[in-house]
Each structure stands twice: as C-alpha cells, then as structure tokens.
C-alpha cells in the first residue's frame, strides 16, 4: 500500500485497519464495535483495508515459498503510514486492528507497528467484534502461560530452538514432529507455552491476559537470546485466537532476539510450513513515497541519465555503428526519450512500443547515485550504457523489459540465459565505444585488459538492484549471474599475458551445490535465496562449472565460503582492492583447474 492511498489527514484521530486475507471485514460492523466501547466510531476516525479479500488469491493456497509478498505488504503498509504521519505532522496514530488472516501474518503485521497505541479485535462466531488486546492494558498479575523447556542457564551448541505456543488446542506433538523431521539433532531445545488452565477454545478470556501473554513471550525470547547464544533461529508454531497472535507480535524485537522463523499450519497437508524469517538487518526496497530530499536527488541523477542516453543515441546513429545497431535491433531506441521526472510507482522501465519511453523509479535512481559515489565518472556513464543496451537487447529477445527491484521473473534458468546474451552484447558495445571514443587508452591498456575493466563495470552495475548493503543474501538466480561475470572478469585477467584481440565472451554455467537456502523475502513469487556470509566450509559444497564443453567440479568448501564473503562485503573495500581480492580467490581455482584459462 502506498502512503498516498491512506485516507488520513491532519484532523485524523485514529485509523481503523481491516486486514482481509481470509474474509471481508465490514466497515459498519467494526465501527459499531467502537461505539459499543464508548469510542467515537466515525468522527475523525479513518478506515482502510490492507489486502482486500480475494477468494481467488488466497495466501493459504500458496506454496510456502510464495508467501513473501504478503509479509512485504505488511512492511510497506507500516513504512507508508510512518511516512504519511511525518508529512501531516501526526504522531503515532492509534490503530484499531480488525483481522481475518493466518496467525503468522497477524503476528508479523503487529510487529511492524511498534510503539504506537494499538487495539486488536476478535470476531466471535456470530460475527460480533470485541476487544482482544490493547497495548495500554495492564497485564494480569497471574501468569497466563506455563513455560516448559526453557533452559535455566547458558547452554552451548549450534542449531535451532523449537518454540510452540498452544492456546486453543494442543499442537506440540505435530509441530515438534515437523521440526525434528527438518532439523533432527540440530534442535537445541523445545520450549512450550500453554495456558495455566490448559489449551482449550475458552482458554483466552480478556485483554489483560493478552498483555500478560505478550510479556511472558518477550521474556522467553530474551532469555533464549541470553542463554542459547549458538541458536541460528527460533522455530515458532502457534495455535491461538487471532487477537492473541497480534498481542504476541508486540513481543518480537528482531534487533535484540534470535531470528524467528514463522510456521503456518497447512490444514490440507496437516503440516507446519516455514513461511517467513524475521531477523535483524532486514531492509526492504524503497517501499514508501520518497522524501523531498530523495526525490530531489533522484531528479538530479535522472538529468545525468538523460545526457548519457542522448550521447548513446547519437553514437548509435552514426553509419559506422549500423552493424551494432542492427545486432541489438535498436532502431526504436534511437527515437526513445526519458520521462521528465522520476517514477514513484512501479512501471515498465523501457516501453519500446510507439515513440519509446524510459521510466526510472526513485529507488533505482538512488541506487545509481550510490554507484556514482563508488566509481569514477566515466565508469559510471559506461555502467549506464551497459544497462541501456542490455534492456534494448531484451526487447529483441522478446520484450523482457520489466527489470526492477523485484527481479525479472519466475523462470530463473531461462532468464539467466537471456541475461547472459544481453550482458555479452552490452559489453561488446562498450568495447566498441571505447575503441571509437578512447582509441589511445585501449591501445595502451590492451584489448583484453580493456575488456576486463568493462566486465568489472558490469559487475558493479548489477549491485544497483540489491535492496541491502552489505549483501547478506541473494536469490539463487542472481548469485549465478554474479558468478558468471566474476568468472569472466577473473579469467580475462588470467589471460592478460596474451596479446591481440580479446577473446569472445563464451557462455559459462556456474553453480554451487549444497548451500542452505530459504524463501526470498524480497520477491513476491517463489524464489530461493542463499546467505552469503556464515557459510560453513565443512558442509559438502561443490562448485560446478561447464565451460567450452568441459565440466569442472571443485569440492573446496573453504574457497566457496571465502568467495561468497568477499562478494557480500564488496563495497566495504575500495573498488580496486575488492577486485584484486576476488582475482586472487579465482586464481586459486584456476590453479587447480588450468583448463579453465586455456585460450582457444
């Protein structure tokens, strides 16, 4: 949800939030609930829907990998609300939350709304809504939960903790069986929270108990962080009323607690499925309206892009470049133009039908600004040209023009092949540009070294699309694309002793088997991601490379761990140092497999 869609103004006193994943939440019914409490249900109380109900698009019917979009939607709403409040001079609007959704989504949504006045409502079977939790409600003096299995002192080991919350019914056996099946001996402990009066549909009774339950869960999560330092993640399964799930969301603080894996119960398969990991350092793409400063900075970058675009158009219009222009099918590009202002809503990057329009979103422009701060002016302009030729060639391939922060599609291996061809012809165009515009520089450096420098710029331009720094994780597809071009750059460096023309950029397939994966939270479709840091070199990791009709398999897990760590922290070093470090890492690989650097 965008902040411009939020129906609030300077007079707004509170916001009704209807969360409709499972069924509609009727506005009049929730306002009547507020009136029964003695609260004003209409005057200066705005109402909005987060995720309008659509029976054809139920999140419960999705595979676990496909839930990421629902969690991202929660984060974007929270970010948009904060931004709108700042613009209007409001301070943490109270929220009346009426939810019909999976428990994990309600818990996550509330965790995204810290420190603000919050009231979470529960719907009875007859459709009547009543208060289930209030952040201002004092907790009961008596414990709501009995806590079982919490270690009393510090404990060693590395693995996971099972955390089971069973309020409405007992789920311990089923949930624990799923956790043991997936993690086996890696389970360090099993902690169970159950009502003092025992699990039952009537175990949870009032908001004061919800406050005490949240207080107790916070204590458990904090204790786990203190006593089980080797915990990689806490595996949470729960069965409780939805308003209590919202209350429990207030107990989660990913900055001071272990990562929390949320598990949803799939009723059809009778399984608890991991659907989202809450962890520190999670940073979504620019999800709200930009600030004035961000928009102004993006506008300045857009002006620079317009000049690079015009220079490229002029060059490709020259008769000497007709062969290149035909190769990329770029006649439409010659008549294209760039939109006058940065885009603030998702839109196709390059609309080639008709006159041809380029539309650059604010987040991407700010990414290009970061790139400009890292590389010299000419390298930055080359990165932009590489990107534009890449996109123009995508049109020739079949109209692949939707590359944004969210990735470019579900069919990873197919798009990987398409991207290679687009990258390769963009690099060839960059070499032709340098020969035409900077012939003396090319001659002095040598064609192979010049090609290597261009490929390093291509690697830098890839990072414009990463939503976090340092890069802690990458989708498997994007990791393979990085590996391809790191291989190409380092191979060109190894061939630098050769004289004459640079070798053609031959297709290479690179893959690392054995890396642990998890659903990618930055994608709205199924995509697996790989953590780049913290890779255990003792795991069975195999690097497979298929190049020049030869298959190379390398089993050095330490090499994989070092290479991924260097990629993750690329921008923490000066550019030249980062490149040299990666060259040395690949030289070790080439020393073991000399066939990879034999020229044709």
């Amino acid at each position: 949800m965008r902040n411009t869609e939020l129906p609030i103004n300077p007079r707004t006193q509170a916001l009704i939030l209807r969360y409709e994943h499972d069924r509609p939440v009727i506005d009049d019914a929730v306002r009547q609930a507020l009136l029964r409490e003695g609260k004003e249900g209409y005057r200066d109380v705005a109402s909005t829907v987060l995720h309008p109900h659509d029976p054809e698009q139920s999140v419960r019917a999705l595979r676990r990998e496909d839930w990421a979009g629902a969690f991202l939607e929660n984060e974007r709403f929270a970010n948009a609300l904060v931004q709108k409040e700042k613009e209007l001079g409001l301070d943490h609007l109270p929220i009346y939350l009426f939810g019909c959704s999976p428990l994990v989504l309600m818990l996550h949504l509330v965790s995204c709304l810290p420190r603000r006045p919050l009231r979470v409502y529960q719907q009875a079977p007859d459709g009547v809504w009543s208060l289930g939790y209030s952040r201002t409600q004092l907790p009961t003096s008596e414990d709501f939960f009995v806590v079982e299995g919490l270690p009393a002192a510090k404990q060693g080991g590395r693995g996971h903790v099972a955390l089971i919350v069973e309020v409405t019914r007992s789920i311990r056996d089923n949930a624990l069986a799923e956790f043991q099946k997936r993690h086996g001996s890696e389970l360090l402990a099993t902690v169970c929270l159950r009502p003092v009066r025992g699990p039952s549909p009537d175990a949870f009774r009032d908001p004061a108990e919800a406050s005490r339950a949240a207080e107790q869960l916070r204590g458990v999560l904090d204790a786990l962080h203190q006593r089980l330092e080797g915990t990689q993640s806490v595996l949470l399964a729960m069965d409780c009323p939805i308003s209590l799930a919202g209350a429990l969301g207030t107990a989660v603080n990913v900055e001071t607690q272990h990562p929390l894996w949320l598990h949803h119960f799939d009723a059809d398969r009778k399984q608890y499925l991991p659907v989202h990991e809450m962890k520190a350092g999670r940073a979504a793409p620019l999800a709200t309206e930009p600030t004035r400063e961000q928009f102004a900075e993006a506008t300045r970058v857009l002006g620079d892009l317009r000049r690079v675009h015009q220079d490229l158009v002029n060059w490709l219009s020259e008769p000497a470049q007709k062969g290149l222009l035909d190769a990329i099918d770029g006649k439409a590009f010659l008549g294209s133009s760039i939109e006058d202002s940065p885009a603030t809503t998702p839109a196709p990057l390059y609309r080639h039908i008709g006159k041809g329009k380029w539309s650059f979103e604010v987040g991407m422009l700010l990414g290009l600004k970061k790139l400009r701060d890292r590389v010299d002016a000419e390298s930055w302009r080359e990165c932009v040209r590489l990107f534009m030729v890449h996109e123009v060639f995508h049109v020739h391939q079949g109209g692949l023009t939707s590359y944004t922060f969210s990735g470019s599609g579900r069919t990873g291996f197919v798009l990987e092949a398409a991207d290679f061809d687009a990258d390769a012809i963009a690099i060839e165009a960059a070499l032709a540009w340098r020969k035409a515009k900077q012939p003396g520089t090319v001659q002095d450096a040598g064609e192979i070294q010049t090609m290597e420098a261009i490929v390093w710029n291509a690697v830098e331009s890839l990072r414009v699309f990463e939503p976090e720094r340092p890069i802690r994780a990458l989708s498997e597809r994007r990791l393979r694309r990085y590996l391809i071009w790191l291989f190409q750059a380092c191979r060109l460096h190894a061939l630098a002793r050769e004289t004459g023309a640079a070798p053609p950029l031959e297709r290479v397939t690179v893959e690392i088997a054995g890396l642990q994966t998890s659903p990618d939270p930055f994608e709205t479709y199924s995509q697996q991601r790989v953590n780049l840091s913290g890779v255990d070199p003792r795991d069975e990791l195999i690097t497979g490379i298929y190049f020049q009709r030869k298959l190379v398999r390398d089993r050095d897990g330490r090499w994989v761990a070092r290479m991924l760590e260097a990629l993750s922290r690329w921008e923490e070093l000066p550019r030249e140092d980062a490149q040299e470090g990666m060259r040395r890492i690949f030289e070790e690989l080439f020393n073991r497999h000399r066939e990879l650097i034999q020229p044709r």
Side-chain angles (χ1 to χ4, degrees):
M1 177 181 292
R2 298 180 52 75
N3 62 14
T4 51
E5 297 173 348
L6 289 170
I8 61 178
N9 57 56
R11 298 187 308 275
T12 303
Q13 298 297 311
L15 178 65
I16 294 172
L17 180 58
R18 290 140 49 210
Y19 198 33
E20 298 186 343
H21 272 281
D22 289 340
R23 58 185 181 276
V25 178
I26 308 304
D27 185 65
D28 188 61
V30 302
R31 290 186 184 272
Q32 290 300 317
L34 299 185
L35 290 173
R36 285 194 299 273
E37 291 183 351
K39 296 184 178 297
E40 179 57 63
Y42 291 90
R43 188 180 63 195
D44 294 334
V45 177
S47 180
T48 191
V49 177
L50 175 58
H51 196 90
H53 177 61
D54 183 351
E56 300 299 321
Q57 300 292 329
S58 171
V59 69
R60 293 180 184 271
L62 299 177
R63 298 179 304 164
R64 64 183 180 88
E65 296 90 347
D66 293 329
W67 281 57
F71 291 100
L72 186 57
E73 185 178 50
N74 288 348
E75 295 170 5
R76 285 178 168 163
F77 166 78
N79 291 341
L81 177 60
V82 170
Q83 185 65 35
K84 191 69 171 180
E85 288 172 329
K86 288 180 179 178
E87 292 176 5
L88 297 174
L90 301 173
D91 183 24
H92 286 96
L93 278 176
I95 287 184
Y96 305 143
L97 176 55
F98 296 79
C100 296
S101 77
L103 299 177
V104 291
L105 285 173
M106 177 60 84
L107 180 146
H108 177 262
L109 173 60
V110 170
S111 77
C112 294
L113 302 168
R115 295 182 298 280
R116 69 175 59 247
L118 176 70
R119 296 168 71 84
V120 185
Y121 291 78
Q122 182 76 38
Q123 189 175 33
D126 62 2
V128 176
W129 291 91
S130 61
L131 182 65
Y133 168 73
S134 172
R135 193 170 248 139
T136 60
Q137 172 67 57
L138 293 175
T140 59
S141 57
E142 299 82 15
D143 285 346
F144 176 73
F145 285 127
V146 173
V147 180
E148 303 173 357
L150 182 65
K154 283 194 174 184
Q155 179 178 313
R158 182 173 175 81
H160 308 273
V161 172
L163 178 58
I164 299 167
V165 178
E166 45 182 21
V167 177
T168 307
R169 61 193 175 96
S170 180
I171 63 170
R172 182 183 336 202
D173 292 344
N174 289 342
L176 188 56
E178 290 289 334
F179 294 156
Q180 289 173 335
K181 186 188 304 180
R182 292 193 183 97
H183 302 285
S185 61
E186 293 183 343
L187 284 181
L188 298 175
T190 298
V191 181
C192 186
L193 279 64
R194 54 196 346 246
V196 171
R197 59 180 66 101
S200 78
D202 301 320
F204 169 58
R205 297 176 181 175
D206 60 55
E209 289 187 338
S211 294
R212 180 57 181 151
E215 195 175 72
Q216 287 187 270
L217 177 62
R218 184 180 300 108
V220 168
L221 292 172
D222 290 344
L224 288 172
H225 189 262
Q226 295 166 3
R227 301 173 193 174
L228 295 177
E229 295 180 353
T231 299
Q232 295 171 282
S233 66
V234 175
L235 315 172
L236 175 64
M238 58 183 171
D239 191 287
C240 64
I242 193 167
S243 60
L244 184 56
L248 299 180
T250 65
V252 179
N253 184 345
V254 296
E255 299 300 326
T256 61
Q257 298 162 354
H258 290 307
L260 187 68
W261 260 109
L262 304 181
H263 287 70
H264 165 72
F265 182 68
D266 187 316
D268 292 334
R269 288 184 279 181
K270 308 297 183 186
Q271 291 181 331
Y272 280 91
L273 304 177
V275 291
H276 184 70
E277 184 184 24
M278 300 174 64
K279 62 184 295 185
R282 170 75 164 85
L286 189 64
T288 65
E289 284 284 337
T291 64
R292 289 187 180 90
E293 293 76 12
Q294 287 174 325
F295 191 84
E297 188 61 62
T299 301
R300 286 191 287 271
V301 176
L302 189 66
D304 295 336
L305 281 180
R306 192 173 287 110
R307 287 186 284 273
V308 176
H309 169 265
Q310 190 58 54
D311 288 344
L312 183 58
V313 166
N314 293 341
W315 180 65
L316 287 173
S317 300
E318 296 174 2
Q321 309 310 325
K322 184 179 184 305
L324 176 59
L325 186 68
D326 291 344
I328 64 174
D329 197 11
K331 291 181 181 178
F333 172 70
L334 299 183
S336 67
S337 62
I338 294 178
E339 295 281 7
D340 293 335
S341 62
T344 56
T345 58
L349 178 65
Y350 176 41
R351 294 162 53 204
H352 59 283
I353 302 298
K355 295 183 179 180
K357 279 284 187 181
W358 292 85
S359 177
F360 290 91
E361 191 265 333
V362 170
M364 180 180 178
L365 291 168
L366 296 178
L368 286 167
K369 166 64 167 57
K370 291 180 181 178
L371 175 63
R372 188 169 59 188
D373 294 340
R374 178 169 173 79
V375 303
D376 61 71
E378 182 51 41
S379 290
W380 186 82
R381 289 190 287 268
E382 183 167 81
C383 287
V384 174
R385 292 192 294 269
L386 285 165
F387 173 75
M388 287 186 169
V389 174
H390 176 107
E391 292 300 315
V392 170
F393 190 70
H394 270 336
V395 175
H396 173 74
Q397 291 172 312
L400 301 172
T401 59
S402 60
Y403 205 140
T404 67
F405 273 118
S406 63
S408 57
R410 296 172 182 265
T411 50
F413 283 100
V414 171
L415 285 168
E416 180 184 301
D419 272 338
F420 178 86
D421 287 340
D423 286 334
I425 200 162
I427 291 167
E428 291 174 14
L431 181 60
W433 172 283
R434 289 200 185 198
K435 287 180 176 180
K437 302 284 188 177
Q438 307 156 10
T441 302
V442 174
Q443 185 174 4
D444 291 343
E447 194 168 304
I448 294 180
Q449 291 92 330
T450 301
M451 180 73 87
E452 181 195 353
I454 295 170
V455 174
W456 283 122
N457 279 341
V459 171
E460 292 285 355
S461 66
L462 282 177
R463 298 177 77 86
V464 170
F465 302 99
E466 305 307 340
E468 59 180 357
R469 300 288 191 281
I471 302 177
R472 294 178 175 87
L474 282 171
S475 70
E476 288 185 307
R477 175 185 168 267
R478 284 193 65 75
L479 174 59
R480 289 193 297 268
R481 191 174 175 198
Y482 275 108
L483 294 175
I484 286 169
W485 291 108
L486 290 173
F487 171 89
Q488 297 281 10
C490 295
R491 182 175 185 270
L492 285 167
H493 185 77
L495 294 174
R497 64 181 182 275
E498 303 294 327
T499 58
L505 292 172
E506 299 177 75
R507 189 179 301 277
V508 58
T509 302
V510 187
E511 187 170 12
I512 301 173
L515 292 171
Q516 294 186 6
T517 64
S518 59
D520 193 330
F522 296 114
E523 298 294 358
T524 57
Y525 53 85
S526 176
Q527 185 74 245
Q528 290 296 103
R529 66 173 180 174
V530 173
N531 289 330
L532 299 187
S533 59
V535 174
D536 191 342
R538 296 169 298 180
D539 290 344
E540 187 179 1
L541 302 175
I542 301 175
T543 303
I545 301 176
Y546 185 68
F547 184 60
Q548 294 181 345
R549 298 185 178 181
K550 295 177 182 178
L551 176 63
V552 167
R553 285 170 290 189
D554 190 89
R555 297 179 179 273
D556 190 339
R558 291 175 299 176
W559 183 88
V560 172
R562 289 171 51 230
M563 186 271 297
L564 294 181
E565 183 74 16
L567 177 58
S568 171
R569 303 195 174 279
W570 186 262
E571 288 163 322
E572 294 182 6
L573 294 174
R575 188 185 182 199
E576 293 75 14
D577 293 346
Q579 291 176 3
E580 181 58 24
M582 192 62 76
R583 290 188 192 108
R584 290 178 180 176
I585 290 172
F586 268 83
E587 281 175 7
E588 295 178 16
L589 181 70
F590 295 151
N591 281 334
R592 292 195 294 271
H593 305 283
R594 303 287 294 177
E595 62 271 30
L596 293 174
I597 55 172
Q598 297 302 318
R600 288 276 191 174

